[in-house]
Amino acid sequence: MPVNARKLLAELETIRTRYGDGSAARKATLLDALATAKLPTAALVSRLHDAACFLRACPDDEAVRAAAHRLLETFDRRADLKRFAKGLADSGIAGTETLYPYFGPTARWLAQRFPGKLHVYWPNVDEDGVLEERLQLLASWSETPGLDEVAWPMQKWLKRLAGPTLTDAEWLLQRCARVGRDPRASDLLYEELGLELNLLPGPDTPARTRELLPVRKLHHHTVPLRHDRPDLAAMLGVRLRERRLMGAEAARVVELARECMVARQRDLDAFAHGDPGDVRLFECEDGIAFAAIGMKPEFRLQLESVYGFLTLRNGVPIGYVLTSGLLGSTEIAYNVFDTWRGAEAARLYGLVVAVAHQLYGSDTFTVYPYQLGGDGNDEGLASGAWWFYQKLGFRARDPKVLALMERELAHMARNREHRSSVATLKRLATANVYWSKGAQREDVIGIFPLEAIGVATTDLLARRFGADRERGEATCAAELAALCGARDWKRWPAAERLWWLRWAPMLMAVPSLASWPTAARRQLVAVVRAKGGRCEADFVRRFDRHARLRAGLTELARSVQGL
């Protein structure tokens, strides 16, 4: 059986990306045969899992989809999976453990959702490190005699402190939450401990095997997958069907996005702080969809608007995208999960651009160095990510990078076998690349000095209020309200009041604000309220339309010295 199972899997992998050639029935037969076969190695078990995931997302017909679904539904009960579970740890396959240094919000979410499953991974804990130093802060004063005098290992102390009903990780997370002044302080305290946590498998713990969102209509693939590159200018004219999700449906999308990150040993703030009140689905006709998830108001960035996209194919997550929008521009971090890499990656990117344009109204798009293979992204270097974007039309604005690109293109023209070396790719991936529909602008994300606005705000608060930042916010909020005719701001919804306080020092630092026309100052109120509103993308459009505000912040940024 092991020999036959290996051959069956090899055949399935050979034909899994073929469409329209009559192989659909054979795919379903192979999936059903492999559902009861025993594979002889952990690597083969993993490959079968990925083949089934691929075909559940991209089935030829209902028979293929059903066979893939049946196989995955019982995957954690397979004898070969149980045999190789240790070797498959961190694979995200149901029935295996996942080890990762989760950020505080994700760790708390896992502890609450899956009681008893989250544990400190003690082999990687420094017994004399930060945890030992902070333990008395986390315990009560009455426990200090024991903590001072009993030299137990940290693992033994944590077990004692947690008692019979909590795991060590659950106790630490709960204590950090109570000791911290606010959620941000609690998270910083927890993350300072530098712990890796092990998530034990359970029937509903996050796993790639179970990732599936119900869809209204399944799309069957009957023609070969496309590998052509999209015309980005044409993609800006594409409008996808857009649907705002509400209630339990929106909450499930946010939950699924978080589960996708956990199963792949990742953590993304845009999903960890995802707002079920700001979720919309952008759908294509061929089973591809993007669930755009906004962030809860209290976790939004000061200026840019951030949305995480979960990329779906027939309800199966196949990747994610992190976007930030402002100033008619969008920064995009594009990721396709390993199982689906090479399957229409360029076409999917074109659709991402279309969604970002539809969401923010952007006409300029940028990619930062890490996505291109820079800043230590060895995977990006190995895949030649920089040339992926270059072929789509993205260009650096750094003269040295442009000159190096031209030299490489000349080498390729002379020798069609020429490939850029790793050293060359590292030099290419040192600067953002950009694509614009119209004329090149300087007031875009990646070039506009947003950091200077932050420094100018610091200068104002330091000059006027010293260490009393709270008084500074309150005073600036009152002054701004008087200037803009927003004297009722304290009766607004909580999130809008929060953002009035956060934006007030920044706006009071704008030298020309008091001289703006009354109408411009009234419109400014709507911009700030939108920052704390239900849909943060509405803020971007209001901000971008406010010419006085853009000019005022440009003036403020230019006034900063010493950067």
Side-chain angles (χ1 to χ4, degrees):
M1 177 60 71
V3 174
N4 291 338
R6 189 191 296 265
K7 288 183 177 178
L8 294 175
L9 177 58
E11 183 183 354
L12 179 63
E13 290 180 316
T14 298
I15 65 173
R16 75 170 183 168
T17 57
R18 293 182 187 170
Y19 294 94
D21 64 350
S23 62
R26 185 58 179 162
K27 290 178 187 177
T29 299
L30 289 168
L31 286 165
D32 282 337
L34 285 162
T36 56
K38 292 181 181 178
L39 292 161
T41 70
L44 291 173
V45 174
S46 178
R47 284 163 52 187
L48 172 60
H49 178 269
D50 280 8
C53 287
F54 184 93
L55 289 170
R56 182 163 62 179
C58 307
D60 308 63
D61 53 29
E62 181 53 29
V64 172
R65 190 208 66 82
H69 190 66
R70 284 193 299 270
L71 187 151
L72 291 169
E73 272 193 319
T74 59
F75 208 87
D76 61 342
R77 302 200 291 273
R78 293 177 63 94
D80 48 12
L81 184 281
K82 292 179 179 179
R83 178 185 174 191
F84 299 117
K86 281 196 172 181
L88 291 168
D90 304 330
S91 66
I93 296 174
T96 66
E97 300 178 359
T98 302
L99 178 67
Y100 190 70
Y102 300 107
F103 295 147
T106 297
R108 284 197 305 275
W109 174 71
L110 288 170
Q112 292 162 4
R113 280 281 315 280
F114 310 106
K117 296 297 184 183
L118 199 63
H119 298 260
V120 174
Y121 186 68
W122 288 102
N124 290 353
V125 174
D126 179 2
E127 286 286 336
D128 300 319
V130 177
L131 177 57
E132 183 183 39
E133 296 173 0
R134 299 290 181 268
L135 205 54
Q136 291 202 18
L137 180 64
L138 298 174
S140 71
W141 188 268
S142 62
E143 296 170 280
T144 55
L147 291 167
D148 286 340
E149 301 298 334
V150 181
W152 284 337
M154 284 295 96
Q155 184 173 4
K156 186 172 181 178
W157 258 121
L158 259 294
K159 184 177 181 181
R160 196 76 168 229
L161 288 162
T165 60
L166 297 174
T167 70
D168 45 20
E170 290 167 350
W171 185 85
L172 282 169
L173 288 160
Q174 289 185 28
R175 290 306 304 159
C176 286
R178 294 192 180 194
V179 170
R181 181 188 65 182
D182 54 36
R184 185 172 67 166
S186 298
D187 290 342
L188 289 172
L189 174 60
Y190 167 72
E191 288 158 21
E192 184 185 38
L193 303 179
L195 299 175
E196 288 185 279
L197 302 183
N198 201 25
L199 180 65
L200 302 182
D204 58 352
T205 50
R208 296 190 293 124
T209 317
R210 291 188 278 263
E211 293 171 353
L212 184 63
L213 195 70
V215 295
R216 295 178 174 182
K217 180 182 178 183
L218 283 168
H219 174 80
H220 298 140
H221 292 260
T222 57
V223 296
L225 295 172
R226 292 170 52 183
H227 299 285
D228 55 317
R229 286 190 289 272
D231 177 343
L232 295 186
M235 294 308 298
L236 297 192
V238 172
R239 187 162 185 87
L240 286 75
R241 183 169 57 250
E242 182 177 345
R243 180 163 62 93
R244 184 181 293 279
L245 304 187
M246 306 292 287
E249 188 178 17
R252 176 56 193 145
V253 168
V254 175
E255 188 175 68
L256 178 60
R258 301 186 77 173
E259 290 171 355
C260 287
M261 296 297 100
V262 169
R264 291 167 177 80
Q265 296 177 287
R266 302 183 190 191
D267 211 340
L268 193 69
D269 282 347
F271 292 157
H273 299 304
D275 184 0
D278 189 9
V279 180
R280 61 189 74 193
L281 194 66
F282 295 85
E283 299 173 289
C284 304
E285 297 297 331
D286 56 0
I288 295 172
F290 299 89
I293 301 171
M295 295 181 72
K296 294 176 181 176
E298 62 268 32
F299 296 106
R300 293 170 181 171
L301 296 185
Q302 178 72 5
L303 287 162
E304 310 101 293
S305 168
V306 171
Y307 279 78
F309 301 171
L310 188 63
T311 310
L312 301 157
R313 197 160 202 153
N314 281 322
V316 178
I318 65 171
Y320 69 98
V321 187
L322 183 63
T323 69
S324 60
L326 197 70
L327 298 162
S329 59
T330 300
E331 183 177 79
I332 298 176
Y334 173 61
N335 296 271
V336 178
F337 295 146
D338 290 350
T339 305
W340 292 275
R341 288 190 179 167
E344 303 189 318
R347 174 175 174 254
L348 284 171
Y349 191 84
L351 290 170
V352 168
V353 168
V355 172
H357 174 69
Q358 191 168 328
L359 181 65
Y360 298 118
S362 303
D363 62 11
T364 296
F365 302 86
T366 184
V367 183
Y368 57 90
Y370 185 82
Q371 283 282 302
L372 306 170
D375 297 334
N377 182 2
D378 294 335
E379 185 181 353
L381 289 175
S383 68
W386 194 91
W387 286 105
F388 171 84
Y389 292 102
Q390 194 274 348
K391 290 173 182 177
L392 287 172
F394 283 83
R395 295 291 183 270
R397 297 191 183 180
D398 184 304
K400 292 181 180 178
V401 173
L402 285 173
L404 180 56
M405 179 192 75
E406 294 298 339
R407 289 197 296 273
E408 285 296 291
L409 290 172
H411 287 315
M412 292 172 185
R414 292 191 297 269
N415 177 9
R416 296 181 64 182
E417 302 300 317
H418 176 79
R419 295 293 181 269
S420 299
S421 67
V422 170
T424 297
L425 288 171
K426 285 183 178 179
R427 286 157 55 201
L428 287 169
T430 55
N432 279 38
V433 293
Y434 297 84
W435 180 88
S436 297
K437 180 183 179 182
Q440 181 173 295
R441 295 187 287 114
E442 298 300 307
D443 60 335
V444 296
I445 291 176
I447 296 177
F448 187 87
L450 297 175
E451 68 280 3
I453 295 172
V455 173
T457 305
T458 293
D459 290 344
L460 177 137
L461 287 169
R463 184 176 66 252
R464 292 186 58 189
F465 306 102
D468 196 347
R469 277 350 194 223
E470 291 76 14
R471 184 171 67 88
E473 283 190 339
T475 301
C476 289
E479 292 173 353
L480 183 65
L483 273 174
C484 298
R487 291 178 176 81
D488 65 340
W489 72 274
K490 290 185 178 180
R491 295 194 295 273
W492 296 348
E496 294 180 11
R497 297 198 308 271
L498 172 68
W499 278 101
W500 187 258
L501 282 166
R502 288 179 174 179
W503 263 50
M506 179 181 75
L507 292 173
M508 292 307 297
V510 174
S512 62
L513 178 62
S515 65
W516 289 8
T518 301
R521 281 181 273 148
R522 299 279 187 190
Q523 291 162 6
L524 182 58
V525 175
V527 174
V528 181
R529 296 191 71 170
K531 186 67 176 178
R534 187 174 73 169
C535 175
E536 197 184 2
D538 293 343
F539 153 78
V540 174
R541 291 179 176 273
R542 287 183 178 275
F543 178 99
D544 287 350
R545 288 197 301 266
H546 200 304
R548 285 273 182 174
L549 175 57
R550 291 176 65 163
L553 290 178
T554 300
E555 174 191 14
L556 180 62
R558 288 174 178 165
S559 71
V560 175
Q561 303 295 318
L563 284 185

